[in-house]
Amino acid sequence: RVNALQPPYWSGVGASLINHLPTFLIVYNVFEIARDKLEQRFPQASKVSIDVGASMIGSALGTLWSTPCEVVKCTFQSGMYTASVKSAMRAIHKESGLRGFYQGCT
């Protein structure tokens, strides 16, 4: 029988919340800036191509923030680390260095 109030089902929620708001802010602010710059640089380009390019740039930069947060969240949900977000981050860094926070991002 599954009890959604017991770990590991709610583990990692804090890391998930720390992830989503900053990622949203990064993606959409970078999108707006990139769209303006691309429109200035390529005035003859279609709106769709400008928006696609700006979306790619915003998403790529948002990934730099969100991937480490997702790695920490997933390790909590898997039960590998249970003490705290800080201890999980230390353990990931100790095991794999900075690259450890970008596991699965290829």
Side-chain angles (χ1 to χ4, degrees):
R1 188 169 181 165
V2 175
N3 183 348
L5 299 177
Q6 290 182 343
Y9 306 110
W10 291 94
S11 297
V13 171
S16 182
L17 293 175
I18 291 169
N19 176 7
H20 291 305
L21 181 61
T23 300
F24 173 81
L25 293 172
I26 292 167
V27 169
Y28 289 102
N29 282 311
V30 169
F31 168 80
E32 291 294 332
I33 293 166
R35 184 173 58 185
D36 291 344
K37 298 286 184 187
L38 289 170
E39 285 174 345
Q40 291 171 4
R41 177 124 170 120
F42 304 103
Q44 305 301 337
S46 70
K47 181 175 175 11
V48 171
S49 61
I50 295 290
D51 285 350
V52 167
S55 295
M56 290 170 64
I57 294 167
S59 294
L61 291 178
T63 299
L64 292 175
W65 173 266
S66 66
T67 300
C69 294
E70 286 296 318
V71 168
V72 172
K73 181 186 79 159
C74 289
T75 58
F76 259 77
Q77 289 175 333
S78 70
M80 289 175 63
Y81 307 107
T82 57
S84 69
V85 170
K86 193 174 186 178
S87 67
M89 291 173 66
R90 283 185 182 150
I92 292 168
H93 188 267
K94 184 179 179 182
E95 289 174 15
S96 307
L98 263 174
R99 295 182 104 184
F101 293 103
Y102 292 93
Q103 296 172 27
C105 188
T106 56

